[in-house]
Amino acid sequence: MSSMEIDFKQYQLRCQLRGHEDDVRGICVCGSEGIATSSRDRTVRFWSLDSSDKRKYVSSKMLLGHSSFVGPLAWIAPDEEFPEGGIVSGGMDTMVFVWDLRTGEKVQSLKGHQLQVTGVVLDGGDIISSSVDCTLRRWRKGQPVESWEAHKSAIQAVIKLPSGELVSGSTDTTLKLWRGKTCLHTFSGHTDTVRGLGVMHGLGILSASHDGSIMLWAQSGEVLMVMVGHTSIVYSVDAHVSGLIVSGSEDRFTKIWKDGVCVQSLEHPGCVWDAKFLENGDIVTACSDGVVRIWTVDQENIADPVELEAYASELSEYKLSRKSVGGLKLVDLPGLEALQIPGTSDGQTKIVREGDNGVAYSWNMREQKWDKIGEVVDGPDDSMKRSVLDGVQYDYVFDVDIGDGEPIRKLPYNRSDNPYDTADKWLLKENLPLSYRQQIVEFILQNTGQKDFNIDPTFRDPYTGSSAYVPGQPSYASGIAAKPTFKHIPKRGMLVFDAAQFDGILKKISEFNNTLLADSEKKDFSLTEPEISRLGAIVKILKDTSHYHTSRFADVDIALLLKLLKSWPVAMIFPDVVMEMIMKATTDPALPANLLTSIRAVTNFFKNSSYYSWLQKHRSDILDAFSSCLASPNKNLQLAYSTLILNYAVLLIEKQDEEGQSHVLSAALEIAEQETLEIDSRFRALVAIGSLMLEGLVKKLAMDFDVGNIAKAAKASKEAKIAEIGADIELLTKQS
C-alpha cells in the first residue's frame, strides 16, 4: 500500500544536534524541558530549545562519569529532590547513575549488575534496570532492593506499562510481562533477539527485533500486528498518541508506520540506534555518525533549504563512499587528472572516477593517448566472490552459534581487518559479553586460514586486562560453528495488506444502492436510509480500530453486512472478510475489484494464528480459486497472489505439511519462471521457493522441477534483490 493512499503528512529534517564524538546510542524525551542523549563517547548530553531559534536545540549540559559507552536513559520529572529534573543512565560499564540536571552532577551510583546495563525505567520512586547478566534489579533511594533472573539469556530492554506492570525483552526471542517478581505471561513470536520495546497507547506493547520485524501485542499475549519492512536488525520502536509508530534500524532507515503500513522512510548516513517521538509528534533519531536529528511535519519548523541540501549531499557522499566498481572502492579511484600521466606500455589499463561511475581507459602507445574502453560494472558473479551483509561486501560473513540457546548471529570480516578489533566491535554491537573475545578471535583465525597471523605479545585488552589469545592454545569456550549465509531466506513471519479505502467503499455502496432503487426488479435488494446510515457508523469503527481488534459489532451490524454480501448481484459485491464469499468472488467471469479485495482478505487471515488450521484445511480450494490472478494484467492482483503463496509457504513449513508444500512450490515455480513479471511478485515467489527448499520437505522435488535454471536466470537479473535470492537458491542446489 503506497503512502499516497493514506492520510499522512511527510516528515522533513528540522535540525541536527552536533556534539557527540561517537555513535549516539540512546534518546530520552524529557517532557517539554528538552532531550537527553547517550553515546559511545561515554557521555550523556542534555539539549534545550535554542532561545534564538525555536526550531533548534543547543547542548546545555554534558554529564561525565561513565567509563564506557552509555545506552539507556530515563527522565526524572522536576520535584523537591530534583528541582530541574534528573536523568538515569545505564552503561557498558555495568553501572546505573542518577544525575541532577540543576548541577550536572552524579548523585547516585548504583552498582550490582555483572554485565552491560541495557534498560532503565522509573517505577514510582524506584528505578528498575535490566542487563545482559539476565537480571532485573530494583533500586530505591540509591540502594538495591531486589533482583531476579528474568530470562535465561541476556535482557535487552525493559519498559513500564501505564497499568503498572513491567515488560522485558530478551536475546531468547521472548518478551515477559511482570507484576513484581511474578511473570504473568511469556510472549513468543519473534525468531531472533528482542532488542527494543515501546508502549502503544491504549492498545498494547511494541517490540523490535533482530529478525527485522516489529510486533504489536495485546497484554493477553495475542499478536495484533506485524510490521515488516526493515532489511536488518530493528533496534528501537516508539509510538505517539496519534497512532503513528517509529522504528530505527541497522539498515540506516527510520521508518514511520501507520495502521501497520510503512508510510515514510527517513534515510541516515549510518545505523539508527534509537528513534523517539516528541510530545508534539516530531521525531528524534540517534545515528552512528554521532549526530542527533529532529524531523517534523510542521512547515514552519522545517530546516532552511541550505541545510536540507547539505544533508542530501551528505547522504549522497556516504552512499558513494560505500559504492564499489569492479571490486574497487569508488572513492579510492583517481579522477580524470590521472589521464594526464602517460602510460608505460601499450594496452595498459587504468580505471578513473567520472561522476558516480568508474570508467576504464587503455593506453594507446602509437597515438600516445588514453582510449576510453567503457564503464566498469560488477559482473554477475562478482557478488558471489564476496559475501554481502546489509548491502556491504565482505571477504567473509560467518554464522556464529554462541550456544546456550542463543540465536545465530552474522559476523562480517575482511582479511585486511585486525581480528581483535573486529571481535571487539562485533561484541559491542551484538551486546555480548567481552569475555567471548578470545573465542571469537580464534574462530576468525581458524575459519580464514590465518595461521601465521602476527600477535603482539604486549597487547592488553582495554576491557578485561588480559593478553591476546594465541591460536593453538586451549580456549575455555566452545561450540561455535560456521553455516552457509543466505541473504533472503528462510522467510519469517507473514505479509499482510493492512490498509483499506473505507470511504471509497462506502461511496461505491451508496452508488450501487441507488442503482438498485432505480431498478423495479431489484428494488427489494436495496438498503433503507437507516441501513445506509448504520453502514456509515460501521465504517467509522473500522477506520478507527480495524488494525487493533478492540471493538465489537452488534448482531444487527453483522446481519446488515451479510444481507449486502449474500443478496446483492455479483457485479456489485465489494467482498469483506467473509470467507464464504471466496467462491462467489472468484467465479468466472470474476471482476478484478472482487478478486483483489477477496484475495487480500484471505491473505490477512495469516496475521492471526487462530486461523492457521482453517487455512491449511482449505489450502487446495483457496489456491485453485485464486490461480487466475497470475494471468491477470493487474499488477496488484499478481502481487497479492505471490504474497498468498509466500504466506502459505511459511505456514506449511511450520506445519510440516509435505503435500501442501508441494502444491505451493509448484505455484511459486510457475510465478518465478515468468521473467517479465513485476519485480516484487517474482521476488516473493522466489523467497517462497528458497524457504521451502531450505526448511521444508520438498528440496528434492524442487530439484526435479529444474529449479537450478530458475535460480540461474534470477541471478542474472539486473534487479539486485532478484539476483540475490537467485544466488541463495543456487547455493541451496549445490548443497548435498
Side-chain angles (χ1 to χ4, degrees):
M1 185 63 61
S2 73
S3 61
M4 296 302 292
E5 295 177 65
I6 298 171
D7 180 23
F8 172 76
K9 290 182 178 176
Q10 296 285 307
Y11 279 82
Q12 294 189 66
L13 184 66
R14 170 177 165 177
C15 61
Q16 301 184 83
L17 316 185
R18 300 180 185 273
H20 283 298
E21 296 173 3
D22 210 335
D23 299 38
V24 187
R25 292 295 299 262
I27 298 163
C28 178
V29 177
C30 306
S32 57
E33 312 289 326
I35 301 162
T37 55
S38 62
S39 170
R40 197 185 287 275
D41 68 10
R42 308 181 183 188
T43 71
V44 176
R45 285 180 181 263
F46 187 81
W47 310 82
S48 308
L49 269 174
D50 187 340
S51 56
S52 63
D53 185 347
K54 292 298 182 184
R55 287 179 304 179
K56 300 182 178 179
Y57 282 76
V58 291
S59 179
S60 55
K61 290 272 190 327
M62 183 162 68
L63 312 179
L64 298 165
H66 281 285
S67 59
S68 185
F69 75 74
V70 194
L73 300 170
W75 162 242
I76 303 171
D79 58 15
E80 286 184 10
E81 187 179 0
F82 301 99
E84 293 182 22
I87 296 289
V88 184
S89 63
M92 182 73 189
D93 56 11
T94 77
M95 297 298 296
V96 176
F97 291 146
V98 180
W99 309 82
D100 185 344
L101 276 177
R102 182 173 58 85
T103 61
E105 295 298 317
K106 181 171 56 182
V107 293
Q108 289 178 18
S109 299
L110 312 181
K111 184 174 177 59
H113 282 297
Q114 301 302 304
L115 296 167
Q116 176 188 349
V117 179
T118 55
V120 290
V121 65
L122 299 182
D123 184 17
D126 294 352
I127 293 168
I128 306 290
S129 57
S130 65
S131 169
V132 174
D133 67 14
C134 306
T135 67
L136 291 174
R137 290 179 180 263
R138 181 180 295 274
W139 313 83
R140 187 174 297 154
K141 300 187 187 315
Q143 298 301 316
V145 176
E146 60 184 1
S147 72
W148 66 100
E149 184 181 76
H151 293 262
K152 294 295 184 184
S153 295
I155 305 173
Q156 301 289 358
V158 63
I159 56 167
K160 183 188 173 187
L161 301 180
S163 51
E165 295 88 353
L166 299 173
V167 180
S168 57
S170 168
T171 299
D172 66 14
T173 78
T174 70
L175 293 75
K176 289 191 177 184
L177 179 67
W178 301 92
R179 183 175 294 139
K181 292 165 67 173
T182 303
C183 179
L184 303 177
H185 192 79
T186 299
F187 302 74
S188 298
H190 283 295
T191 57
D192 205 338
T193 298
V194 176
R195 189 60 176 268
L197 297 171
V199 176
M200 186 78 185
H201 306 272
L203 290 165
I205 304 151
L206 288 162
S207 58
S209 170
H210 283 208
D211 65 17
S213 74
I214 299 144
M215 288 188 175
L216 173 64
W217 311 76
Q219 265 183 250
S220 61
E222 181 190 0
V223 177
L224 301 179
M225 190 159 63
V226 180
M227 286 156 276
V228 180
H230 283 295
T231 58
S232 188
I233 294 170
V234 189
Y235 288 118
S236 64
V237 63
D238 192 32
H240 190 253
V241 289
S242 64
L244 291 180
I245 293 168
V246 67
S247 55
S249 167
E250 176 80 16
D251 65 11
R252 300 192 299 107
F253 285 92
T254 292
K255 288 186 179 287
I256 301 152
W257 310 80
K258 184 176 182 183
D259 295 342
V261 178
C262 178
V263 289
Q264 191 178 0
S265 297
L266 301 172
E267 191 174 9
H268 289 67
C271 156
V272 182
W273 286 109
D274 202 2
K276 292 279 195 299
F277 281 106
L278 294 178
E279 289 179 354
N280 66 358
D282 283 7
I283 291 169
V284 189
T285 57
C287 185
S288 61
D289 67 348
V291 181
V292 181
R293 293 178 177 87
I294 302 180
W295 309 80
T296 186
V297 294
D298 185 348
Q299 292 295 314
E300 292 182 3
N301 282 336
I302 292 170
D304 296 327
V306 174
E307 187 170 2
L308 293 175
E309 192 172 315
Y311 182 63
S313 256
E314 186 180 351
L315 272 180
S316 178
E317 286 175 18
Y318 176 81
K319 287 189 284 189
L320 208 57
S321 72
R322 293 159 66 95
K323 183 177 178 180
S324 67
V325 289
L328 302 171
K329 271 196 170 181
L330 189 64
V331 290
D332 293 339
L333 295 178
L336 286 167
E337 68 278 358
L339 300 180
Q340 303 299 319
I341 304 167
T344 55
S345 61
D346 195 49
Q348 177 191 350
T349 57
K350 184 177 284 190
I351 300 175
V352 300
R353 176 177 163 183
E354 292 185 20
D356 292 350
N357 299 304
V359 179
Y361 285 83
S362 173
W363 179 246
N364 184 327
M365 186 67 87
R366 187 194 305 176
E367 298 183 24
Q368 288 290 297
K369 70 182 183 71
W370 290 100
D371 291 332
K372 185 172 182 177
I373 300 172
E375 187 178 320
V376 179
V377 295
D378 284 332
D381 289 321
D382 285 358
S383 62
M384 289 303 290
K385 293 173 189 169
R386 305 188 75 215
S387 300
V388 177
L389 180 64
D390 300 334
V392 181
Q393 286 192 338
Y394 296 93
D395 292 331
Y396 305 94
V397 175
F398 298 114
D399 273 296
V400 179
D401 186 357
I402 298 296
D404 297 325
E406 298 274 345
I408 302 294
R409 296 148 190 272
K410 305 289 186 188
L411 169 61
Y413 179 73
N414 288 318
R415 290 186 71 86
S416 59
D417 293 343
N418 182 310
Y420 299 97
D421 290 342
T422 298
D424 286 342
K425 288 175 183 175
W426 185 75
L427 289 170
L428 289 175
K429 178 190 164 192
E430 292 289 335
N431 272 353
L432 289 169
L434 288 165
S435 56
Y436 282 138
R437 184 175 194 267
Q438 294 181 353
Q439 187 183 359
I440 296 299
V441 170
E442 178 187 24
F443 172 73
I444 291 171
L445 296 179
Q446 284 180 349
N447 285 280
T448 56
Q450 293 176 273
K451 294 178 181 148
D452 55 350
F453 184 84
N454 292 321
I455 294 166
D456 180 359
T458 65
F459 174 85
R460 287 292 179 274
D461 187 330
Y463 300 101
T464 65
S466 62
S467 57
Y469 175 75
V470 180
Q473 293 184 351
S475 169
Y476 65 88
S478 60
I480 292 183
K483 301 180 182 180
T485 301
F486 298 102
K487 178 84 173 174
H488 295 291
I489 55 174
K491 175 74 180 77
R492 306 290 188 199
M494 304 297 185
L495 298 178
V496 296
F497 297 95
D498 252 327
Q501 296 298 299
F502 293 114
D503 291 333
I505 292 171
L506 187 60
K507 182 183 176 186
K508 210 69 177 173
I509 288 173
S510 297
E511 289 175 7
F512 289 160
N513 198 57
N514 290 335
T515 304
L516 289 175
L517 285 168
D519 188 328
S520 57
E521 292 182 13
K522 299 176 180 176
K523 193 172 183 179
D524 292 344
F525 295 130
S526 65
L527 302 179
T528 64
E529 280 298 323
E531 286 174 329
I532 288 285
S533 177
R534 188 61 215 152
L535 270 180
I538 292 171
V539 163
K540 187 174 188 301
I541 294 171
L542 288 169
K543 284 172 71 175
D544 289 342
T545 63
S546 66
H547 304 284
Y548 310 122
H549 317 297
T550 54
S551 293
R552 295 286 181 270
F553 293 105
D555 291 345
V556 66
D557 293 340
I558 301 300
L560 174 59
L561 290 171
L562 287 172
K563 172 185 174 180
L564 185 153
L565 289 164
K566 290 182 175 179
S567 63
W568 276 25
V570 68
M572 293 182 173
I573 295 174
F574 261 72
D576 204 70
V577 289
V578 181
M579 299 312 298
E580 293 83 350
M581 305 309 297
I582 292 175
M583 302 313 294
K584 190 173 180 181
T586 57
T587 301
D588 195 42
L591 299 174
N594 291 356
L595 270 177
L596 184 60
T597 309
S598 55
I599 193 172
R600 284 180 171 178
V602 176
T603 303
N604 283 355
F605 269 59
F606 285 87
K607 185 195 294 187
N608 193 321
S609 58
S610 61
Y611 295 122
Y612 285 1
S613 295
W614 188 92
L615 286 161
Q616 185 180 9
K617 179 182 175 183
H618 294 285
R619 175 258 313 156
S620 182
D621 290 338
I622 289 171
L623 292 184
D624 288 345
F626 289 117
S627 61
S628 64
C629 294
L630 180 58
S632 170
N634 186 315
K635 291 184 178 180
N636 289 328
L637 270 178
Q638 296 169 1
L639 181 62
Y641 181 60
S642 292
T643 307
L644 180 67
I645 294 296
L646 179 53
N647 281 354
Y648 259 118
V650 175
L651 171 64
L652 298 173
I653 288 169
E654 180 186 318
K655 299 291 186 183
Q656 297 187 326
D657 179 346
E658 186 171 356
E659 181 187 344
Q661 289 178 28
S662 301
H663 186 177
V664 171
L665 174 68
S666 176
L669 287 165
E670 187 181 0
I671 300 169
E673 284 175 338
Q674 303 194 33
E675 295 179 30
T676 57
L677 207 62
E678 194 266 338
I679 296 161
D680 283 335
S681 300
R682 192 172 169 220
F683 175 73
R684 291 181 185 184
L686 287 163
V687 172
I689 294 165
S691 299
L692 286 165
M693 289 177 67
L694 181 62
E695 294 199 331
L697 306 167
V698 291
K699 181 177 178 182
K700 184 179 182 304
L701 181 64
M703 301 292 281
D704 292 342
F705 277 137
D706 201 18
V707 73
N709 280 337
I710 290 175
K712 189 175 179 181
K715 193 178 154 193
S717 171
K718 291 179 181 176
E719 294 296 335
K721 64 182 183 180
I722 298 289
E724 288 164 358
I725 183 62
D728 281 352
I729 296 172
E730 185 177 76
L731 183 55
L732 277 171
T733 64
K734 293 176 180 176
Q735 290 179 350
S736 58

